[in-house]
């Protein structure tokens, strides 16, 4: 077994470094690699081979988890292109922040709505549409690839993180309020 730990996540699966990933193909490649690398298959091998199997399995798992999630994939592509997100840089588009405040108020009000199920469904659809719109914009910005587009892509990943968190909170409130 050769080490593949130096490969980036796209190289692990032999996929091109693009935002568009065929998830069915990715899942098939993941299962194939896992069956080849699983530590149980190398239980009788030398210690170094067993250790490498465990490391490669972890690398493949991390690669799969990153590439199957569009937000994580977008961030990873940015990192490959030298654009890192800083935890201290929290700049956001004021228009997006206003939209988020409005959506959060709607979520708070859904708890007291006469039909919370319908209200939460409507809110989830609205946030889902906003998420899909930003994923399309992220795809285009990453494809453009110039410095301005990559900065726009970085901003979009921050917005997508907010939307993901809001969708999680909608789901949590549905679990809490609905039988």
């Amino acid at each position: 077994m050769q080490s593949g730990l130096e490969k980036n996540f796209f190289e692990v699966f032999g996929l091109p470094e693009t935002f568009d990933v065929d998830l069915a193909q990715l899942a098939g490649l993941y299962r194939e690699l896992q069956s080849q690398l699983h530590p149980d298959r190398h239980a009788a091998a030398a210690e170094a081979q067993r250790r490498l199997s465990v490391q490669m399995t972890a690398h493949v798992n991390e690669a799969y988890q990153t590439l199957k999630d569009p937000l994580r994939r977008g961030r990873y592509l940015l990192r490959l292109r030298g654009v890192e997100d800083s935890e201290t840089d929290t700049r956001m588009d004021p228009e997006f922040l206003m939209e988020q405040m409005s959506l959060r108020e709607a979520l708070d009000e859904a708890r007291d709505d006469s039909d919370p199920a319908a209200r939460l469904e409507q809110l989830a659809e609205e946030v889902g549409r906003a998420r899909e719109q930003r994923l399309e914009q992220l795809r285009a910005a990453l494809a453009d690839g110039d410095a301005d587009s990559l900065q726009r892509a970085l901003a979009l990943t921050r917005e997508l993180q907010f939307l993901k968190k809001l969708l999680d909170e909608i789901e949590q409130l549905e679990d809490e309020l609905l039988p």
Side-chain angles (χ1 to χ4, degrees):
M1 179 184 338
Q2 293 182 339
S3 173
L5 297 171
E6 71 287 349
K7 293 181 177 178
N8 76 38
F9 294 162
F10 291 94
E11 291 170 341
V12 166
F13 295 107
L15 296 171
E17 288 180 20
T18 67
F19 186 74
D20 294 313
V21 171
D22 180 335
L23 295 179
Q25 179 188 20
L26 176 65
L29 292 167
Y30 171 72
R31 284 190 298 273
E32 185 178 313
L33 280 174
Q34 285 296 30
S35 72
Q36 294 171 9
L37 299 170
H38 196 280
D40 290 348
R41 289 186 56 125
H42 303 279
E47 173 65 25
Q49 283 296 105
R50 290 195 314 263
R51 191 172 333 120
L52 180 59
S53 169
V54 170
Q55 290 172 334
M56 282 300 300
T57 298
H59 189 62
V60 168
N61 283 337
E62 185 179 356
Y64 180 67
Q65 295 302 320
T66 298
L67 297 186
K68 79 175 188 176
D69 179 274
L71 176 57
R72 290 178 66 178
R73 184 172 57 244
R75 285 183 169 155
Y76 186 70
L77 280 166
L78 284 169
R79 194 167 7 141
L80 289 176
R81 293 170 183 165
V83 179
E84 294 281 344
D85 196 6
S86 166
E87 291 181 20
T88 57
D89 184 1
T90 57
R91 289 176 291 169
M92 298 288 293
D93 178 2
E95 187 175 319
F96 176 76
L97 291 174
M98 292 300 294
E99 178 187 349
Q100 286 305 296
M101 287 176 53
S102 173
L103 290 169
R104 290 210 167 279
E105 285 176 17
L107 180 60
D108 288 342
E109 292 168 4
R111 183 180 296 277
D112 300 322
D113 196 285
S114 61
D115 187 357
R119 183 67 189 118
L120 288 172
E121 184 179 332
Q122 178 187 22
L123 191 57
E125 288 175 6
E126 185 177 343
V127 175
R129 282 192 301 273
R131 178 182 179 273
E132 290 304 315
Q133 180 185 34
R134 281 171 179 84
L135 285 173
E136 281 301 317
Q137 293 170 343
L138 177 60
R139 174 180 291 109
L142 288 168
D144 286 348
D146 60 67
D148 288 341
S149 296
L150 293 179
Q151 287 304 309
R152 175 72 182 132
L154 180 60
L156 287 163
T157 61
R158 292 178 184 152
E159 292 178 9
L160 283 162
Q161 183 64 44
F162 271 87
L163 295 171
K164 179 183 182 312
K165 185 175 179 191
L166 189 56
L167 283 169
D168 290 346
E169 291 174 10
I170 292 169
E171 191 173 307
Q172 288 172 357
L173 189 56
E174 284 176 337
D175 290 345
E176 179 185 322
L177 295 178
L178 307 176

